[in-house]
Amino acid sequence: MCATASAALVVPFLVDRSGDTAVPADRLLQEEYRAAAEEFHVPRSVLMGVSYLQSRWDSHPGVPSVVGGYGPMHLVDTREAPQPRHGQARPRATTAGPPAARPGKSPDSGTGQPADLRRAARLLELPDRQLRSDDAANVRGGAALLAATQAELGKPLSADPADWWDAVARFPGSNDAVSAAAYANDVYDVIRRGARRTTDEGQEVVLAATPGVRPHRAVPQGAQRPKNVECPPELSCSWLGAPYVEMDGGGYGNHDLADRPKDQRIDYIVIHDTEAPLSSMFMTVQDPEEASWHYSVRSSDGHVTQHVPIKDASWHSGNQFVNAHSIGIEHEGFLRQPDAWYTEQMYRSSARLVKYLAKKYKVPLDRQHVFGHDNVPSPTEDTIPDMHDDPGPFWDWRHYYDLLGAPLRETAGPDSDAVMILPDYVHYKPEFTGCVKGGVRCAPHGSSAVRLRTRPDDGAPLIQDPGRRPDGDDSTEDVDDLGSRVSAGQTFAVAERRGDWTAIWFQGHKGWFRNPKDHPVAVGARASVVTPKQGVDEIPVFGRPLPEKEAYPEGVAPETESPLPYTLHAGQEYVTGARAYGTYVDRSTFAQSPAPVVHGREPYYEIQFDHRLAFVRASDVDVRTVDAPMPKR
């Protein structure tokens, strides 16, 4: 036993190409960057910074991106661009007629010259396949392309990283100057700040910070953007409008005229993935019988297209209250194929857009206000089975919030009565099925999702959701099954602790997950929690706050209240994100101006009730703040 334990602690070493230096196996990629930078006279910080923007140094072994990119340098072989395995869009949550599709125009799809794998192979005199499968060859190919581009620009192979800005801007093949400049600026931001990461292949990679680097850059001369686009200046953005039209036979589509934030506050930003190629979604958003959303973000380069003015309410979430108070952003991708679609450039463009919108409309940057489509509450009991599950368990919420400048982190000591779910995305790899075929195991992959069990036992059943499975069927490990899942950044009240296990209040029950101190998947959080008022056994839970009957003017029929099939019991606590007030708009007829908004005066609390948000009446609950002293570091 002792000999085995000791052997497990030994880190294997490999010898580098020169045969002179022993390199630990988990530092081999770091050595490849050093060697390639030296071979091609590219500053190592430039090579590593570019690679970080291309892939965050991940290899994604054997998995090409949506544009056919491979390896840590994301070298693109356009002949190998994969066709999506799930090429049909799922039925989308709408409040209009049945789904349909028709041809439509789309913005420039982006045909710049990317980091060409075949050109890199020719520069190295290696077969293409070697750059697709061998990290060392892939890194050397990236260095060779940077050096060749620098020479083509008539610039020296300088040791000063500041001299490489133009070559860096050209590397990803962006088809407009604004996108190229944003990319290069991001690379130099990484160089200045430094980075440290364990890759998907277990490689420990460190780029030391060099805060004094100020690149000699050209001023980008991008195409003039349409005046109606609402977008930060450093993003490449275009316009492709969704139609607001009356349809034959009554009804209209595909969004609502409004005057936000004057008539209704914007409180939420909802993150979606398309589950279809963007070209298909551009057809969908131009169909008045379909759903709509405010923005689309392209996978290949992060280009942003706006479809609906922010002042208007798009039909994107499946919950009219959320639609009325939110901005919907679609991201090109498939939740079952994150390595092919959830690119670093898409994450960064999206984060830039969300930061801009959150600042403009005063939306808090937390998981109760910036959340996934899979966190949107079902408005009524009968809609629960139809609610969506994107962007799924492989969306990296922790990284996304780092990019938002609002990192998810411990805010209270480990004994706090509230915890934030926060697994280590790279290393935390729960089992999933259904990525390729139903019931078949997915390849191991980092995840933001943590599953809950009915008891503190790895063999105990998963928590069930009676709303999703009214027949009493068990929750499963399928990638689409949210019934027993919580996600990074969500905060819950602690119900009990037993050794390495923690229980949280979840949908009216205790949900248990393994949370060892040496590798925690949840951390202490300071939070406000609600609990039923003293003497009340249980209270209803709602998927939308509605105005009280007295708030409706004459001639407007009050919307029927519809509690969800769950209850919040005495002694249970749930974290609240904010107060909310019910609103309602009668959208029964087509009109050329915004419909009047009915505003309720009865306050509700938004709560993290299960994987989705929910609402309870403020008059039904008491509120308290929970935390625990932070440990001394």
Side-chain angles (χ1 to χ4, degrees):
M1 179 66 71
C2 292
T4 302
S6 298
L9 297 175
V10 175
V11 178
F13 283 74
L14 300 177
V15 178
D16 74 0
R17 283 190 296 272
S18 68
D20 296 332
T21 308
V23 180
D26 63 350
R27 304 291 194 277
L28 195 57
L29 184 58
Q30 180 91 39
E31 170 59 21
E32 299 299 348
Y33 287 119
R34 184 204 62 76
E38 183 177 298
E39 180 182 0
F40 292 97
H41 306 287
V42 178
R44 185 167 62 88
S45 62
V46 169
L47 179 62
M48 293 184 70
V50 167
S51 182
Y52 188 90
L53 256 291
Q54 293 291 95
S55 70
R56 295 180 73 209
W57 303 325
D58 284 341
S59 299
H60 304 307
V63 180
S65 74
V66 61
V67 294
Y70 287 87
M73 298 302 300
H74 192 251
L75 302 182
V76 176
D77 187 339
T78 54
R79 299 170 304 181
E80 299 294 327
Q83 296 300 312
R85 289 188 290 267
H86 303 275
Q88 298 298 317
R90 301 177 190 180
R92 307 193 63 79
T94 73
T95 51
R102 62 191 176 94
K105 295 179 181 179
S106 66
D108 179 14
S109 60
T111 56
Q113 298 300 315
D116 191 327
L117 182 142
R118 282 180 284 168
R119 184 187 180 206
R122 290 194 298 271
L123 290 171
L124 300 181
E125 298 182 346
L126 291 175
D128 298 355
R129 65 178 180 276
Q130 190 168 342
L131 276 72
R132 292 196 291 267
S133 59
D134 181 346
D135 283 356
N138 190 274
V139 169
R140 291 182 67 227
L145 288 174
L146 282 167
T149 302
Q150 185 78 342
E152 290 163 4
L153 290 167
K155 297 188 176 186
L157 300 181
S158 168
D160 184 354
D163 294 333
W164 289 75
W165 192 90
D166 291 299
V168 168
R170 291 193 179 196
F171 192 85
S174 300
N175 65 340
D176 67 87
V178 174
S179 294
Y183 176 88
N185 289 339
D186 277 344
V187 169
Y188 279 89
D189 185 60
V190 170
I191 292 171
R192 283 190 294 271
R193 293 172 181 265
R196 177 187 296 269
R197 190 164 185 269
T198 303
T199 73
D200 59 351
E201 292 288 275
Q203 291 291 303
E204 299 291 337
V205 184
V206 178
L207 173 60
T210 50
V213 173
R214 293 291 181 268
H216 310 309
R217 56 191 173 198
V219 177
Q221 300 294 326
Q224 186 175 4
R225 67 174 52 164
K227 292 181 180 179
N228 51 348
V229 168
E230 300 159 275
C231 207
E234 66 272 20
L235 275 185
S236 175
C237 302
S238 56
W239 175 266
L240 179 68
Y244 178 75
V245 296
E246 188 173 17
M247 294 184 290
D248 295 338
Y252 66 95
N254 61 9
H255 58 279
D256 293 309
L257 299 186
D259 191 20
R260 307 184 314 168
K262 293 179 181 178
D263 60 355
Q264 297 186 87
R265 287 178 43 175
I266 296 174
D267 294 314
Y268 311 115
I269 298 174
V270 183
I271 304 301
H272 303 251
D273 80 23
T274 59
E275 295 300 311
L278 202 54
S279 57
S280 171
M281 297 304 291
F282 285 155
M283 297 182 203
T284 298
V285 80
Q286 294 177 90
D287 191 324
E289 296 189 15
E290 263 286 7
S292 62
W293 51 96
H294 291 94
Y295 297 92
S296 297
V297 186
R298 191 163 60 206
S299 172
S300 60
D301 61 358
H303 181 85
V304 173
T305 305
Q306 186 171 356
H307 308 290
V308 177
I310 297 298
K311 69 179 183 63
D312 295 335
S314 63
W315 298 350
H316 65 96
S317 77
N319 183 317
Q320 190 182 67
F321 176 82
V322 174
N323 287 348
H325 293 270
S326 70
I327 298 167
I329 304 176
E330 288 278 2
H331 297 77
E332 186 182 22
F334 295 80
L335 66 86
R336 299 173 182 84
Q337 303 173 50
D339 291 341
W341 297 84
Y342 295 169
T343 64
E344 182 65 9
Q345 290 184 65
M346 185 172 73
Y347 274 126
R348 285 177 176 260
S349 289
S350 176
R352 275 199 175 92
L353 177 63
V354 169
K355 284 175 69 175
Y356 165 83
L357 296 170
K359 181 178 181 180
K360 185 173 182 179
Y361 296 103
K362 298 180 173 60
V363 179
L365 290 174
D366 59 43
R367 286 283 269 122
Q368 285 73 45
H369 295 89
V370 180
F371 49 77
H373 197 181
D374 49 4
N375 307 136
V376 173
S378 309
T380 58
E381 179 176 0
D382 62 319
T383 61
I384 294 174
D386 299 323
M387 297 304 286
H388 285 221
D389 48 14
D390 58 289
F394 305 129
W395 182 267
D396 192 345
W397 285 108
R398 193 167 186 167
H399 178 52
Y400 191 61
Y401 267 81
D402 284 343
L403 295 175
L404 288 174
L408 304 173
R409 57 190 173 196
E410 175 184 38
T411 56
D415 298 325
S416 176
D417 287 341
V419 291
M420 176 185 286
I421 306 301
L422 200 59
D424 181 339
Y425 181 91
V426 172
H427 294 101
Y428 190 71
K429 299 180 180 181
E431 290 186 343
F432 287 99
T433 62
C435 290
V436 178
K437 184 178 179 181
V440 176
R441 292 277 179 213
C442 301
H445 197 285
S447 175
S448 293
V450 174
R451 288 198 186 87
L452 304 178
R453 300 189 178 273
T454 56
R455 301 188 310 274
D457 181 344
D458 289 321
L462 297 171
I463 287 282
Q464 290 184 348
D465 181 350
R468 286 177 66 92
R469 299 176 180 272
D471 297 331
D473 294 339
D474 290 339
S475 295
T476 70
E477 294 179 345
D478 188 88
V479 72
D480 290 322
D481 192 339
L482 301 176
S484 64
R485 290 210 307 248
V486 290
S487 184
Q490 293 179 332
T491 307
F492 294 88
V494 174
E496 188 179 348
R497 287 186 173 95
R498 295 188 199 173
D500 283 347
W501 288 82
T502 299
I504 56 176
W505 290 117
F506 180 90
Q507 208 180 82
H509 303 281
K510 290 181 180 180
W512 291 89
F513 61 95
R514 187 181 286 279
N515 191 34
K517 288 184 173 60
D518 54 346
H519 295 291
V521 297
V523 296
R526 190 178 194 274
S528 294
V529 298
V530 301
T531 191
K533 283 190 175 294
Q534 191 170 1
V536 178
D537 290 335
E538 60 182 41
I539 62 172
V541 178
F542 302 92
R544 56 182 178 171
L546 288 172
E548 61 278 11
K549 290 183 179 180
E550 296 75 20
Y552 291 83
E554 187 175 348
V556 178
E559 183 76 353
T560 303
E561 190 176 73
S562 178
L564 298 176
Y566 318 112
T567 50
L568 198 162
H569 300 277
Q572 297 182 2
E573 295 181 318
Y574 292 86
V575 169
T576 178
R579 276 192 169 206
Y581 291 85
T583 60
Y584 176 74
V585 179
D586 182 5
R587 297 186 170 96
S588 57
T589 58
F590 178 76
Q592 294 293 345
S593 59
V597 180
V598 179
H599 289 274
R601 295 189 175 183
E602 180 179 17
Y604 288 74
Y605 282 106
E606 173 199 297
I607 62 171
Q608 187 70 64
F609 186 62
D610 49 25
H611 192 80
R612 301 187 187 275
L613 298 167
F615 299 90
V616 292
R617 291 192 187 93
S619 58
D620 287 339
V621 298
D622 291 322
V623 184
R624 75 182 182 100
T625 299
V626 301
D627 62 8
M630 289 283 286
K632 293 182 179 180
R633 301 299 187 189

